[in-house]
Amino acid sequence: MAAESKLAPIRKGLLEFLVLKIVGAESVYVPDILRRLDGTEFNTQEGTLYPLLSKLRREDLVHYEWKESEAGPPRKYYRLTDSGRAQLTALDEYWNLINRTIADIGH
Amino acid sequence: MQRLSTTVRLNRSVLQFDDAASARLETYLAESASLLEGDPDPQEILCDLEQAVADQCARRLQPNQAVVTLAELEPALAEIGSVQVPGASPSAESAKSSAPRPLQQVSEAALISGVCAGLGRYFGFNVTALRVFAVLLLLLSGGGVILVYFTLMLLMPFAPLPSGGKPLAWLPGKCRTFMEYLRTKFHLAAG
């Protein structure tokens, strides 16, 4: 599909938004995030997610805490910080605005 | 004959790898490290990746199997995927650092009002060195520096506060409010 090359960067740009949404809904560790995105257009891999989460942590949007697991080593559970929550709200509003513009224009 | 294996420590897990698998793992981690060149903290991401490899391989081991081979490692690496550096951040950061910075007081980095922090940022001086120098001048000039500092406080505009930042410390907050009050009262253009 010719449009695919134009859709890929859109998905890539929105991945950060979706990760913020998932982390915003509940405290999660990386396999939870992968499972949540699995089967959607935003299906992704650990190789993509860890660098992204590291960037979000550096920007003080998410933080993590270690939690013991029943099997294996402790896991990193991610949560939104206050500024992460503020950014998620702003992104949500902006996304709705864009959606309305796209729906309205050309009518 | 039993094939020799290597003990591999992956972040918080320890696993046995056969020669081929440990060589493949080394290549993968070296590739990841080189892809992360320029990332501010590659170490954290590499630790997370190592843990992901360990978890994925451990999950694929048969109940009576002790040594990870390529049969477990290859699908594990395929599922993890190669490192993708988030695209937007490097260009945004370079744009930020190359943009000229105006001469402004920086309240969030201030001890008093942010004059030294602002001068340091504008001229690229070490702020601590600048503050020590200012205190030395204060001692030598017998107080003249206070007048200079106050003039700069009044005239240097305040840098906009970062969105979602922490609240200002008491003194920088008061200085900022007081200077803004003085500026409106005396109709000073700065700010």
Side-chain angles (χ1 to χ4, degrees):
Chain A
M1 188 169 72
E4 176 55 27
S5 64
K6 297 181 185 172
L7 296 177
I10 297 181
R11 283 198 302 269
K12 202 174 167 198
L14 284 174
L15 181 64
E16 180 174 328
F17 177 31
L18 290 201
V19 169
L20 285 178
K21 276 191 98 138
I22 294 170
V23 177
E26 56 181 338
S27 160
V28 286
Y29 86 120
V30 161
D32 294 331
I33 303 179
L34 290 171
R35 218 169 298 130
R36 195 71 192 73
L37 292 174
D38 189 31
T40 70
E41 302 77 6
F42 296 94
N43 190 13
T44 188
Q45 298 181 298
E46 280 143 310
T48 308
L49 219 42
Y50 280 119
L52 179 59
L53 284 166
S54 169
K55 180 180 90 98
L56 293 176
R57 189 193 52 73
R58 221 165 31 246
E59 293 171 351
D60 194 31
L61 300 176
V62 303
H63 61 114
Y64 62 79
E65 52 192 6
W66 292 99
K67 278 193 192 161
E68 296 298 325
S69 68
E70 302 109 53
R75 298 161 168 178
K76 275 179 175 176
Y77 273 82
Y78 289 86
R79 238 179 228 288
L80 285 190
T81 61
D82 289 344
S83 57
R85 191 152 302 280
Q87 186 158 119
L88 177 58
T89 313
L91 281 170
D92 245 331
E93 279 165 12
Y94 189 63
W95 178 248
N96 290 334
L97 184 73
I98 288 178
N99 264 338
R100 277 200 297 279
T101 310
I102 292 174
D104 290 349
I105 225 152
H107 281 285
Chain B
M1 187 189 87
Q2 173 74 46
R3 193 195 290 168
L4 289 177
S5 68
T6 325
T7 308
V8 178
R9 183 182 176 80
L10 287 164
N11 197 31
R12 296 181 177 224
S13 300
V14 176
L15 287 171
Q16 300 290 321
F17 275 63
D18 75 8
D19 288 350
S22 75
R24 173 74 185 94
L25 179 63
E26 252 176 75
T27 322
Y28 175 80
L29 291 174
E31 273 170 13
S32 303
S34 77
L35 284 167
L36 287 169
E37 229 166 78
D39 189 281
D41 40 10
Q43 208 46 51
E44 180 192 23
I45 302 169
L46 287 172
C47 285
D48 289 337
L49 285 173
E50 283 190 6
Q51 193 61 57
V53 173
D55 293 350
Q56 294 267 2
C57 288
R59 221 181 59 210
R60 286 179 163 82
L61 284 177
Q62 301 298 319
N64 58 352
Q65 187 185 354
V67 180
V68 177
T69 68
L70 284 178
E72 291 80 41
L73 183 61
E74 286 297 357
L77 294 183
E79 195 170 327
I80 292 165
S82 64
V83 168
Q84 306 283 325
V85 182
S89 82
S91 60
E93 269 165 30
S94 67
K96 207 191 264 179
S97 61
S98 64
R101 283 172 161 173
L103 179 56
Q104 292 170 325
Q105 298 183 66
V106 189
S107 299
E108 67 271 22
L111 280 186
I112 304 173
S113 181
V115 169
C116 283
L119 289 172
R121 191 166 83 164
Y122 185 77
F123 293 108
F125 296 148
N126 178 313
V127 179
T128 311
L130 197 64
R131 283 176 178 144
V132 171
F133 182 68
V135 171
L136 275 178
L137 269 187
L138 173 70
L139 297 175
L140 293 174
S141 69
V145 166
I146 295 177
L147 198 66
V148 175
Y149 193 92
F150 188 78
T151 313
L152 287 173
M153 254 172 98
L154 201 58
L155 296 181
M156 261 167 80
F158 285 97
L161 294 172
S163 57
K166 297 185 185 91
L168 292 178
W170 182 82
L171 187 55
K174 289 289 172 207
C175 287
R176 196 176 174 113
T177 336
F178 184 53
M179 286 305 128
E180 276 160 2
Y181 164 76
L182 285 183
R183 283 171 193 181
T184 30
K185 192 161 170 81
F186 298 105
H187 306 289
L188 284 170

PDB file of all heavy atoms in Angstrom, chain A residues 36-59:
ATOM      1  N   ARG A  36      -0.834  -4.740  25.988  1.00  0.00           N
ATOM      2  CA  ARG A  36      -1.912  -3.781  25.739  1.00  0.00           C
ATOM      3  C   ARG A  36      -1.883  -3.319  24.273  1.00  0.00           C
ATOM      4  O   ARG A  36      -2.930  -3.077  23.674  1.00  0.00           O
ATOM      5  CB  ARG A  36      -1.700  -2.598  26.691  1.00  0.00           C
ATOM      6  CG  ARG A  36      -2.832  -1.674  26.882  1.00  0.00           C
ATOM      7  CD  ARG A  36      -3.952  -2.309  27.689  1.00  0.00           C
ATOM      8  NE  ARG A  36      -5.146  -1.486  27.609  1.00  0.00           N
ATOM      9  CZ  ARG A  36      -5.909  -1.392  26.524  1.00  0.00           C
ATOM     10  NH1 ARG A  36      -5.608  -2.078  25.441  1.00  0.00           N
ATOM     11  NH2 ARG A  36      -6.966  -0.604  26.503  1.00  0.00           N
ATOM     12  N   LEU A  37      -0.668  -3.190  23.710  1.00  0.00           N
ATOM     13  CA  LEU A  37      -0.551  -2.670  22.339  1.00  0.00           C
ATOM     14  C   LEU A  37      -0.598  -3.785  21.309  1.00  0.00           C
ATOM     15  O   LEU A  37      -0.767  -3.527  20.118  1.00  0.00           O
ATOM     16  CB  LEU A  37       0.767  -1.886  22.188  1.00  0.00           C
ATOM     17  CG  LEU A  37       0.848  -0.583  22.983  1.00  0.00           C
ATOM     18  CD1 LEU A  37       2.242   0.012  22.878  1.00  0.00           C
ATOM     19  CD2 LEU A  37      -0.177   0.419  22.483  1.00  0.00           C
ATOM     20  N   ASP A  38      -0.446  -5.024  21.773  1.00  0.00           N
ATOM     21  CA  ASP A  38      -0.407  -6.161  20.864  1.00  0.00           C
ATOM     22  C   ASP A  38      -1.730  -6.272  20.112  1.00  0.00           C
ATOM     23  O   ASP A  38      -2.804  -6.151  20.711  1.00  0.00           O
ATOM     24  CB  ASP A  38      -0.146  -7.441  21.680  1.00  0.00           C
ATOM     25  CG  ASP A  38       0.121  -8.624  20.770  1.00  0.00           C
ATOM     26  OD1 ASP A  38       0.669  -8.391  19.674  1.00  0.00           O
ATOM     27  OD2 ASP A  38      -0.234  -9.756  21.141  1.00  0.00           O
ATOM     28  N   GLY A  39      -1.639  -6.472  18.807  1.00  0.00           N
ATOM     29  CA  GLY A  39      -2.861  -6.613  18.020  1.00  0.00           C
ATOM     30  C   GLY A  39      -3.474  -5.289  17.598  1.00  0.00           C
ATOM     31  O   GLY A  39      -4.437  -5.259  16.855  1.00  0.00           O
ATOM     32  N   THR A  40      -2.918  -4.153  18.083  1.00  0.00           N
ATOM     33  CA  THR A  40      -3.383  -2.856  17.612  1.00  0.00           C
ATOM     34  C   THR A  40      -2.430  -2.372  16.518  1.00  0.00           C
ATOM     35  O   THR A  40      -1.440  -3.047  16.211  1.00  0.00           O
ATOM     36  CB  THR A  40      -3.386  -1.811  18.747  1.00  0.00           C
ATOM     37  OG1 THR A  40      -2.028  -1.513  19.076  1.00  0.00           O
ATOM     38  CG2 THR A  40      -4.105  -2.321  19.972  1.00  0.00           C
ATOM     39  N   GLU A  41      -2.699  -1.190  15.985  1.00  0.00           N
ATOM     40  CA  GLU A  41      -1.801  -0.599  14.979  1.00  0.00           C
ATOM     41  C   GLU A  41      -0.470  -0.241  15.619  1.00  0.00           C
ATOM     42  O   GLU A  41       0.502   0.030  14.928  1.00  0.00           O
ATOM     43  CB  GLU A  41      -2.415   0.682  14.385  1.00  0.00           C
ATOM     44  CG  GLU A  41      -3.766   0.523  13.739  1.00  0.00           C
ATOM     45  CD  GLU A  41      -4.902   0.424  14.749  1.00  0.00           C
ATOM     46  OE1 GLU A  41      -4.664   0.597  15.956  1.00  0.00           O
ATOM     47  OE2 GLU A  41      -6.032   0.147  14.313  1.00  0.00           O
ATOM     48  N   PHE A  42      -0.438  -0.190  16.945  1.00  0.00           N
ATOM     49  CA  PHE A  42       0.751   0.310  17.641  1.00  0.00           C
ATOM     50  C   PHE A  42       1.578  -0.817  18.259  1.00  0.00           C
ATOM     51  O   PHE A  42       2.379  -0.568  19.148  1.00  0.00           O
ATOM     52  CB  PHE A  42       0.336   1.321  18.715  1.00  0.00           C
ATOM     53  CG  PHE A  42      -0.306   2.529  18.137  1.00  0.00           C
ATOM     54  CD1 PHE A  42      -1.683   2.609  18.021  1.00  0.00           C
ATOM     55  CD2 PHE A  42       0.462   3.585  17.660  1.00  0.00           C
ATOM     56  CE1 PHE A  42      -2.283   3.716  17.466  1.00  0.00           C
ATOM     57  CE2 PHE A  42      -0.130   4.690  17.101  1.00  0.00           C
ATOM     58  CZ  PHE A  42      -1.508   4.767  16.993  1.00  0.00           C
ATOM     59  N   ASN A  43       1.353  -2.036  17.782  1.00  0.00           N
ATOM     60  CA  ASN A  43       2.141  -3.191  18.186  1.00  0.00           C
ATOM     61  C   ASN A  43       3.639  -2.828  18.199  1.00  0.00           C
ATOM     62  O   ASN A  43       4.156  -2.321  17.219  1.00  0.00           O
ATOM     63  CB  ASN A  43       1.882  -4.298  17.169  1.00  0.00           C
ATOM     64  CG  ASN A  43       2.454  -5.609  17.610  1.00  0.00           C
ATOM     65  OD1 ASN A  43       2.832  -5.756  18.772  1.00  0.00           O
ATOM     66  ND2 ASN A  43       2.521  -6.552  16.691  1.00  0.00           N
ATOM     67  N   THR A  44       4.308  -3.039  19.326  1.00  0.00           N
ATOM     68  CA  THR A  44       5.710  -2.627  19.396  1.00  0.00           C
ATOM     69  C   THR A  44       6.552  -3.660  20.140  1.00  0.00           C
ATOM     70  O   THR A  44       6.036  -4.699  20.540  1.00  0.00           O
ATOM     71  CB  THR A  44       5.832  -1.235  20.034  1.00  0.00           C
ATOM     72  OG1 THR A  44       7.169  -0.794  19.919  1.00  0.00           O
ATOM     73  CG2 THR A  44       5.443  -1.247  21.501  1.00  0.00           C
ATOM     74  N   GLN A  45       7.829  -3.364  20.299  1.00  0.00           N
ATOM     75  CA  GLN A  45       8.768  -4.321  20.894  1.00  0.00           C
ATOM     76  C   GLN A  45       9.563  -3.664  22.015  1.00  0.00           C
ATOM     77  O   GLN A  45       9.660  -2.441  22.091  1.00  0.00           O
ATOM     78  CB  GLN A  45       9.745  -4.807  19.814  1.00  0.00           C
ATOM     79  CG  GLN A  45       9.066  -5.541  18.681  1.00  0.00           C
ATOM     80  CD  GLN A  45      10.085  -6.015  17.664  1.00  0.00           C
ATOM     81  OE1 GLN A  45      10.772  -5.207  17.058  1.00  0.00           O
ATOM     82  NE2 GLN A  45      10.175  -7.315  17.484  1.00  0.00           N
ATOM     83  N   GLU A  46      10.172  -4.531  22.843  1.00  0.00           N
ATOM     84  CA  GLU A  46      10.978  -4.017  23.947  1.00  0.00           C
ATOM     85  C   GLU A  46      12.110  -3.104  23.479  1.00  0.00           C
ATOM     86  O   GLU A  46      12.439  -2.124  24.127  1.00  0.00           O
ATOM     87  CB  GLU A  46      11.550  -5.179  24.766  1.00  0.00           C
ATOM     88  CG  GLU A  46      10.536  -5.757  25.738  1.00  0.00           C
ATOM     89  CD  GLU A  46      10.651  -7.253  25.870  1.00  0.00           C
ATOM     90  OE1 GLU A  46      10.671  -7.939  24.834  1.00  0.00           O
ATOM     91  OE2 GLU A  46      10.702  -7.750  27.013  1.00  0.00           O
ATOM     92  N   GLY A  47      12.687  -3.463  22.314  1.00  0.00           N
ATOM     93  CA  GLY A  47      13.789  -2.669  21.765  1.00  0.00           C
ATOM     94  C   GLY A  47      13.375  -1.229  21.482  1.00  0.00           C
ATOM     95  O   GLY A  47      14.216  -0.330  21.443  1.00  0.00           O
ATOM     96  N   THR A  48      12.088  -1.004  21.255  1.00  0.00           N
ATOM     97  CA  THR A  48      11.571   0.347  21.026  1.00  0.00           C
ATOM     98  C   THR A  48      11.128   0.988  22.333  1.00  0.00           C
ATOM     99  O   THR A  48      11.341   2.176  22.564  1.00  0.00           O
ATOM    100  CB  THR A  48      10.351   0.275  20.079  1.00  0.00           C
ATOM    101  OG1 THR A  48      10.723  -0.472  18.931  1.00  0.00           O
ATOM    102  CG2 THR A  48       9.892   1.655  19.666  1.00  0.00           C
ATOM    103  N   LEU A  49      10.512   0.153  23.187  1.00  0.00           N
ATOM    104  CA  LEU A  49       9.866   0.673  24.385  1.00  0.00           C
ATOM    105  C   LEU A  49      10.869   1.146  25.437  1.00  0.00           C
ATOM    106  O   LEU A  49      10.670   2.187  26.059  1.00  0.00           O
ATOM    107  CB  LEU A  49       8.979  -0.428  24.962  1.00  0.00           C
ATOM    108  CG  LEU A  49       7.630  -0.007  25.527  1.00  0.00           C
ATOM    109  CD1 LEU A  49       6.941   1.023  24.659  1.00  0.00           C
ATOM    110  CD2 LEU A  49       6.749  -1.232  25.687  1.00  0.00           C
ATOM    111  N   TYR A  50      11.952   0.388  25.655  1.00  0.00           N
ATOM    112  CA  TYR A  50      12.875   0.772  26.713  1.00  0.00           C
ATOM    113  C   TYR A  50      13.543   2.125  26.441  1.00  0.00           C
ATOM    114  O   TYR A  50      13.591   2.960  27.340  1.00  0.00           O
ATOM    115  CB  TYR A  50      13.909  -0.337  26.980  1.00  0.00           C
ATOM    116  CG  TYR A  50      13.334  -1.436  27.836  1.00  0.00           C
ATOM    117  CD1 TYR A  50      13.242  -2.744  27.377  1.00  0.00           C
ATOM    118  CD2 TYR A  50      12.862  -1.160  29.110  1.00  0.00           C
ATOM    119  CE1 TYR A  50      12.701  -3.743  28.170  1.00  0.00           C
ATOM    120  CE2 TYR A  50      12.316  -2.155  29.906  1.00  0.00           C
ATOM    121  CZ  TYR A  50      12.240  -3.446  29.429  1.00  0.00           C
ATOM    122  OH  TYR A  50      11.702  -4.425  30.216  1.00  0.00           O
ATOM    123  N   PRO A  51      14.043   2.350  25.211  1.00  0.00           N
ATOM    124  CA  PRO A  51      14.595   3.692  24.965  1.00  0.00           C
ATOM    125  C   PRO A  51      13.547   4.804  25.132  1.00  0.00           C
ATOM    126  O   PRO A  51      13.846   5.868  25.659  1.00  0.00           O
ATOM    127  CB  PRO A  51      15.072   3.619  23.511  1.00  0.00           C
ATOM    128  CG  PRO A  51      15.304   2.173  23.258  1.00  0.00           C
ATOM    129  CD  PRO A  51      14.276   1.453  24.075  1.00  0.00           C
ATOM    130  N   LEU A  52      12.296   4.524  24.724  1.00  0.00           N
ATOM    131  CA  LEU A  52      11.236   5.526  24.854  1.00  0.00           C
ATOM    132  C   LEU A  52      10.935   5.818  26.324  1.00  0.00           C
ATOM    133  O   LEU A  52      10.837   6.975  26.730  1.00  0.00           O
ATOM    134  CB  LEU A  52       9.979   5.030  24.124  1.00  0.00           C
ATOM    135  CG  LEU A  52       8.755   5.939  24.179  1.00  0.00           C
ATOM    136  CD1 LEU A  52       9.071   7.298  23.573  1.00  0.00           C
ATOM    137  CD2 LEU A  52       7.585   5.310  23.437  1.00  0.00           C
ATOM    138  N   LEU A  53      10.834   4.758  27.137  1.00  0.00           N
ATOM    139  CA  LEU A  53      10.550   4.952  28.562  1.00  0.00           C
ATOM    140  C   LEU A  53      11.696   5.684  29.246  1.00  0.00           C
ATOM    141  O   LEU A  53      11.475   6.505  30.138  1.00  0.00           O
ATOM    142  CB  LEU A  53      10.291   3.608  29.241  1.00  0.00           C
ATOM    143  CG  LEU A  53       8.921   3.001  28.945  1.00  0.00           C
ATOM    144  CD1 LEU A  53       8.885   1.546  29.353  1.00  0.00           C
ATOM    145  CD2 LEU A  53       7.818   3.778  29.639  1.00  0.00           C
ATOM    146  N   SER A  54      12.925   5.385  28.805  1.00  0.00           N
ATOM    147  CA  SER A  54      14.079   6.061  29.381  1.00  0.00           C
ATOM    148  C   SER A  54      14.006   7.558  29.079  1.00  0.00           C
ATOM    149  O   SER A  54      14.288   8.402  29.937  1.00  0.00           O
ATOM    150  CB  SER A  54      15.357   5.454  28.819  1.00  0.00           C
ATOM    151  OG  SER A  54      16.463   6.233  29.141  1.00  0.00           O
ATOM    152  N   LYS A  55      13.592   7.888  27.849  1.00  0.00           N
ATOM    153  CA  LYS A  55      13.438   9.296  27.472  1.00  0.00           C
ATOM    154  C   LYS A  55      12.330   9.961  28.303  1.00  0.00           C
ATOM    155  O   LYS A  55      12.511  11.063  28.810  1.00  0.00           O
ATOM    156  CB  LYS A  55      13.110   9.404  25.977  1.00  0.00           C
ATOM    157  CG  LYS A  55      12.941  10.833  25.487  1.00  0.00           C
ATOM    158  CD  LYS A  55      12.608  10.889  24.012  1.00  0.00           C
ATOM    159  CE  LYS A  55      11.133  10.860  23.752  1.00  0.00           C
ATOM    160  NZ  LYS A  55      10.512  12.159  23.531  1.00  0.00           N
ATOM    161  N   LEU A  56      11.204   9.264  28.464  1.00  0.00           N
ATOM    162  CA  LEU A  56      10.086   9.824  29.230  1.00  0.00           C
ATOM    163  C   LEU A  56      10.474  10.044  30.691  1.00  0.00           C
ATOM    164  O   LEU A  56      10.053  11.001  31.320  1.00  0.00           O
ATOM    165  CB  LEU A  56       8.859   8.908  29.146  1.00  0.00           C
ATOM    166  CG  LEU A  56       8.220   8.784  27.767  1.00  0.00           C
ATOM    167  CD1 LEU A  56       7.084   7.772  27.786  1.00  0.00           C
ATOM    168  CD2 LEU A  56       7.707  10.129  27.283  1.00  0.00           C
ATOM    169  N   ARG A  57      11.308   9.114  31.212  1.00  0.00           N
ATOM    170  CA  ARG A  57      11.749   9.268  32.597  1.00  0.00           C
ATOM    171  C   ARG A  57      12.667  10.477  32.732  1.00  0.00           C
ATOM    172  O   ARG A  57      12.583  11.244  33.675  1.00  0.00           O
ATOM    173  CB  ARG A  57      12.482   8.003  33.062  1.00  0.00           C
ATOM    174  CG  ARG A  57      12.788   7.989  34.546  1.00  0.00           C
ATOM    175  CD  ARG A  57      13.758   6.902  34.907  1.00  0.00           C
ATOM    176  NE  ARG A  57      14.953   6.914  34.097  1.00  0.00           N
ATOM    177  CZ  ARG A  57      15.928   7.806  34.205  1.00  0.00           C
ATOM    178  NH1 ARG A  57      15.861   8.759  35.106  1.00  0.00           N
ATOM    179  NH2 ARG A  57      16.981   7.758  33.417  1.00  0.00           N
ATOM    180  N   ARG A  58      13.542  10.635  31.726  1.00  0.00           N
ATOM    181  CA  ARG A  58      14.443  11.782  31.740  1.00  0.00           C
ATOM    182  C   ARG A  58      13.662  13.093  31.661  1.00  0.00           C
ATOM    183  O   ARG A  58      14.058  14.086  32.240  1.00  0.00           O
ATOM    184  CB  ARG A  58      15.399  11.670  30.554  1.00  0.00           C
ATOM    185  CG  ARG A  58      16.781  12.043  30.883  1.00  0.00           C
ATOM    186  CD  ARG A  58      17.783  11.600  29.841  1.00  0.00           C
ATOM    187  NE  ARG A  58      17.302  11.547  28.505  1.00  0.00           N
ATOM    188  CZ  ARG A  58      17.176  10.433  27.796  1.00  0.00           C
ATOM    189  NH1 ARG A  58      17.511   9.290  28.328  1.00  0.00           N
ATOM    190  NH2 ARG A  58      16.745  10.466  26.565  1.00  0.00           N
ATOM    191  N   GLU A  59      12.578  13.078  30.916  1.00  0.00           N
ATOM    192  CA  GLU A  59      11.751  14.286  30.802  1.00  0.00           C
ATOM    193  C   GLU A  59      10.821  14.445  31.996  1.00  0.00           C
ATOM    194  O   GLU A  59       9.959  15.315  31.994  1.00  0.00           O
ATOM    195  CB  GLU A  59      10.932  14.225  29.496  1.00  0.00           C
ATOM    196  CG  GLU A  59      11.801  14.319  28.260  1.00  0.00           C
ATOM    197  CD  GLU A  59      11.027  14.047  26.974  1.00  0.00           C
ATOM    198  OE1 GLU A  59       9.858  13.622  27.056  1.00  0.00           O
ATOM    199  OE2 GLU A  59      11.599  14.269  25.902  1.00  0.00           O
TER     200      GLU A  59
END
